[in-house]
Amino acid sequence: MYVSYSRLSPVVFLIATACGDSSITTSSDASTNRPDAPGPQPIPGLTAITVSPANQTVVIDGDVAPQQDFTADGTFMDGHHEDVTSRVGWQVEKAALGFMTGAHFTGYTAFGGRTLIIASNGAISGSTQLTIVVRKQVNDPQAQNLPPNPGPLFNGPADASRNPNLVYPNDNVLLPPNMAVLEVHFRPATGNTLFEVAFKNAVTDVKVFTRCVNPANGGCIYTLTSAVWLFIAETNRGGEPVAVTVLGTDDNGSKVGTSAAISMSFSRDDIFGGIYYWGIVSGAGNIFRYDFAGTQTAAEKYLGGSAVPGGCIGCHALSRDGFKMVAEANGQNDGRLLLINVADKSPIVPFGTGQKSIFESWNPDATQYVAVYGDTGATDYNLMLVNGATGMKTASINIGGTQLSNGADHPDWSPDGTMIAFTKIGTTSSTLQRMHRGAIQVVTYNGTSWSAPSTLVPAKMGENRYYPAFSPDSKIVAFDISVCPGGDETSRSCNADGDPTATVYTVPAAGGTPVKLTNLNAPGKEDGGQTNLTNSFPKWCPFIFQRTGELGSRLMWITFSSGRAYGLHGTPPQQGTGDGDATTGKLVWMAGIDPDAALRNQDSSFAPFVLPYQGFDTSNHIAQWTQRVRTPIP
């Protein structure tokens, strides 16, 4: 499914509805700017229109709306030129940026960007690009006792000893423009009491003046307000990167330091869909959810561990339409079924009466799911097909599994319904949660039956390869590789359960060379060069988006769990034994993926960012995606 939908923020929606979606005017309707007004009268013999001045730049300076007059020169069949400014219709290509009153452009003040100014008469049209620069200087509302006019204080002499260290976001990060929540973390230098957080490129010149209002671990955290987010994200939606820097000085502006810049970009399309992730609180598993298409400001607790005997919900799988969820009780060596209607949390199958399983994945129409169980009491080590209404096994796909050490693990059913990828265990393991020497294999459905397994990523001595996940177009498989310390394949650091060296790779589903996602896996500044970050459980957003305004520029989003530092907040707390063999807890991170680069066997990833809506006092894993969050119908 290809999506180019963009959910407007409330500010943009008000602008668009108040001013009309088409922003077309003619000389006869310029005073009303009515989009349903009659068009201009045809101009006989007109063959071309040239709009002047060409490629203009205007500035939103503070709250002053930008203005610009245009003219239209007509070329006629007999070769002569004539001013047709008052005889053509005028249109702003991106109506959210402004409107035309006749040939006069008036911009809005919420954000800038680039647009075309179009003059047309019948089938004949001409255009020119208009660049609208947003220039804002704002005081952080959390900062107390700022100087009356802070800007000039940052014009003092440069002093490298005053340079702040900007540590989050990560350099070359790509963000969805509707995320709306972002923190900037920096370490101030000695002597700095006043800071400027600057966002700059050809269409952006935004400066925020602040103090160290939210100190954390020897540094400072600035949180963007909704207005500042709008200035930056909407101005640069699908556009060029923004350079972010932090400047520091004292209240006299005696010396000024400037951090190294980081690059931050925004996709053209908003992200939507929903996630249900597993969060560990005091050793017990709970499921939390967040709706990207809704109005939530934080994830909500969806199901607590008290929903099952034993007090812990295990790993879960969500149908792509969001109506059904299957999870097991208490994880390893239990596997009793919890199959529910997501909207009202009612049981589809009474607890404990269905087929035991540890990991599952739904088919596209949510009529069945594939499951595996190799723990205590297991009798079938293959891929089990389970009825999505009864919770009972209906068939098995034979992958040659006769015992846990050669059984199936971590199944993922492709969105097109034709393939199931899974981990084939290759050596002695204790449970499906803790397995060794995995390979990534695939079975394919031919319309009547499933094929024998083929190997997509072979097993390798001294490594573990596991957790396959199909992209939304079924053409790419993301998965994990862990390297066993000293080649010891029995090590707890190489058992697919919180492995410190867990690293995310992709491979084309049709076959190819696995590619490490270098940008996604790279450490942030606060990781101190540590590369063992436990990057695990890759899961894809179920939609395909557009990254830039350029046609064909596709974008996918992927989430993963990681023990890396969230800037100055540091590493998340470990929650008992629920974090497997990692030494820290984990948070859910997200990164943009260029699917066409992945199909060319290239690193397709952007730098990651932390999902800002999750709880940071829990250890979070397995962000299962759905196309839509389902809630009870009123």
Side-chain angles (χ1 to χ4, degrees), residues 539-570:
K539 297 293 180 183
W540 300 83
C541 174
F543 299 107
I544 305 172
F545 302 92
Q546 191 164 325
R547 180 169 54 86
T548 71
E550 181 182 351
L551 290 177
S553 176
R554 300 193 304 154
L555 172 68
M556 297 178 185
W557 294 102
I558 197 168
T559 51
F560 62 102
S561 303
S562 181
R564 66 182 60 212
Y566 172 25
L568 295 171
H569 293 301

Side-chain angles (χ1 to χ4, degrees), residues 373-447:
Y373 187 73
D375 295 8
T376 300
T379 59
D380 188 346
Y381 299 92
N382 296 291
L383 295 169
M384 300 182 292
L385 298 180
V386 181
N387 187 297
T390 67
M392 299 303 294
K393 182 176 74 171
T394 59
S396 287
I397 303 172
N398 184 8
I399 58 91
T402 59
Q403 54 187 338
L404 177 62
S405 60
N406 64 8
D409 208 352
H410 311 139
D412 193 64
W413 207 318
S414 65
D416 66 7
T418 65
M419 295 172 284
I420 297 174
F422 64 96
T423 302
K424 178 67 180 292
I425 301 173
T427 189
T428 302
S429 300
S430 59
T431 63
L432 289 186
Q433 183 174 321
R434 295 177 176 172
M435 45 72 59
H436 299 275
R437 203 197 296 170
I440 307 300
Q441 295 190 343
V442 177
V443 292
T444 303
Y445 190 65
N446 64 12

Side-chain angles (χ1 to χ4, degrees), residues 225-483:
T225 63
S226 58
V228 171
W229 175 268
L230 197 67
F231 297 156
I232 299 161
E234 289 298 334
T235 298
N236 296 284
R237 179 188 284 269
E240 63 190 86
V242 180
V244 185
T245 55
V246 178
L247 285 71
T249 188
D250 54 38
D251 279 34
N252 298 315
S254 60
K255 296 178 181 178
V256 180
T258 304
S259 73
I262 66 107
S263 176
M264 180 169 66
S265 301
F266 299 88
S267 63
R268 194 201 76 162
D269 290 342
D270 288 352
I271 190 172
F272 52 98
I275 59 169
Y276 290 67
Y277 65 87
W278 190 52
I280 305 172
V281 181
S282 301
N286 304 267
I287 296 177
F288 299 82
R289 73 178 177 186
Y290 181 80
D291 185 1
F292 284 93
T295 58
Q296 288 176 261
T297 57
E300 64 172 324
K301 186 176 180 179
Y302 173 71
L303 277 180
S306 60
V308 297
C312 183
I313 295 177
C315 298
H316 60 290
L318 193 67
S319 63
R320 289 177 174 85
D321 62 11
F323 280 113
K324 297 179 181 179
M325 178 186 292
V326 59
E328 71 278 3
N330 307 316
Q332 300 175 86
N333 295 313
D334 190 325
R336 286 172 293 169
L337 182 72
L338 179 66
L339 180 58
I340 64 171
N341 182 312
V342 173
D344 61 9
K345 305 180 187 178
S346 63
I348 297 174
V349 175
F351 175 75
T353 61
Q355 170 63 47
K356 282 188 173 185
S357 60
I358 292 294
F359 296 102
E360 311 86 11
S361 178
W362 289 86
N363 72 343
D365 64 6
T367 57
Q368 58 182 329
Y369 60 88
V370 58
V372 292
Y373 187 73
D375 295 8
T376 300
T379 59
D380 188 346
Y381 299 92
N382 296 291
L383 295 169
M384 300 182 292
L385 298 180
V386 181
N387 187 297
T390 67
M392 299 303 294
K393 182 176 74 171
T394 59
S396 287
I397 303 172
N398 184 8
I399 58 91
T402 59
Q403 54 187 338
L404 177 62
S405 60
N406 64 8
D409 208 352
H410 311 139
D412 193 64
W413 207 318
S414 65
D416 66 7
T418 65
M419 295 172 284
I420 297 174
F422 64 96
T423 302
K424 178 67 180 292
I425 301 173
T427 189
T428 302
S429 300
S430 59
T431 63
L432 289 186
Q433 183 174 321
R434 295 177 176 172
M435 45 72 59
H436 299 275
R437 203 197 296 170
I440 307 300
Q441 295 190 343
V442 177
V443 292
T444 303
Y445 190 65
N446 64 12
T448 58
S449 61
W450 290 92
S451 71
S454 61
T455 298
L456 184 62
V457 181
K460 183 179 179 181
M461 295 284 291
E463 290 189 0
N464 204 355
R465 298 167 173 205
Y466 52 97
Y467 289 144
F470 279 104
S471 62
D473 62 358
S474 304
K475 294 182 178 180
I476 305 164
V477 174
F479 66 98
D480 264 302
I481 293 181
S482 298
V483 178

Side-chain angles (χ1 to χ4, degrees), residues 71-91:
T71 61
D73 177 76
T75 302
F76 289 78
M77 293 180 65
D78 62 4
H80 87 276
H81 289 256
E82 185 178 321
D83 187 327
V84 293
T85 302
S86 62
R87 301 169 65 189
V88 299
W90 291 92
Q91 178 183 2

Side-chain angles (χ1 to χ4, degrees), residues 142 180-184 197 199 208 222-230 232 264 266:
Q142 294 189 62
V181 179
L182 182 68
E183 294 180 350
V184 176
V197 183
F199 306 88
V208 180
Y222 161 67
T223 302
L224 277 67
T225 63
S226 58
V228 171
W229 175 268
L230 197 67
I232 299 161
M264 180 169 66
F266 299 88

